[in-house]
Amino acid sequence: MTTSTTELALDTSADFYEEDEQEGAGELQIDNLPMRRYKTPKNNKAQCESCSICLADFLDEDVLRTMPCTHNFHSECITVWLRTKNTCPLCKTQI
């Protein structure tokens, strides 16, 4: 039985994704990320900041977590993300 080029390409791509898989962050790592409450900047209300995970704009008093790379996300959103991946969703920096 011969193997087609397409089957070989599929096998290779599967190996690529397996190598890229990673474990999620531990609860202690997640808990150690700084948290803060969001405040709308008074000088530039036209520029909205948003969570890149859920795509919702940050509202006053939303609880955010700041990654080591300084990207901010809703605390709930980034906690769920980090339980499966230990990298920033934007820049892929590991925590």
Side-chain angles (χ1 to χ4, degrees):
M1 179 174 180
T2 60
T3 304
S4 72
T5 306
T6 304
E7 288 173 327
L8 288 175
L10 290 174
D11 289 342
T12 304
S13 64
D15 291 341
F16 172 77
Y17 288 113
E18 286 177 21
E19 290 174 15
D20 196 34
E21 287 182 20
Q22 51 192 281
E23 300 254 340
E27 291 299 316
L28 185 59
Q29 287 178 296
I30 296 169
D31 290 343
N32 284 332
L33 292 174
M35 293 175 66
R36 67 179 179 94
R37 293 211 178 262
Y38 181 76
K39 298 281 185 206
T40 303
K42 294 181 186 210
N43 59 350
N44 193 1
K45 290 191 177 195
Q47 180 183 5
C48 292
E49 295 180 88
S50 61
C51 177
S52 298
I53 297 172
C54 71
L55 305 178
D57 289 343
F58 294 139
L59 303 174
D60 281 340
E61 300 302 314
D62 279 355
V63 178
L64 309 182
R65 282 197 189 268
T66 303
M67 297 286 288
C69 55
T70 70
H71 288 122
N72 294 295
F73 305 93
H74 287 120
S75 179
E76 305 88 33
C77 297
I78 196 64
T79 297
V80 170
W81 174 273
L82 289 172
R83 286 183 179 145
T84 58
K85 299 192 183 288
N86 68 351
T87 58
C88 173
L90 292 175
C91 68
K92 306 299 184 205
T93 299
Q94 287 190 330
I95 66 167

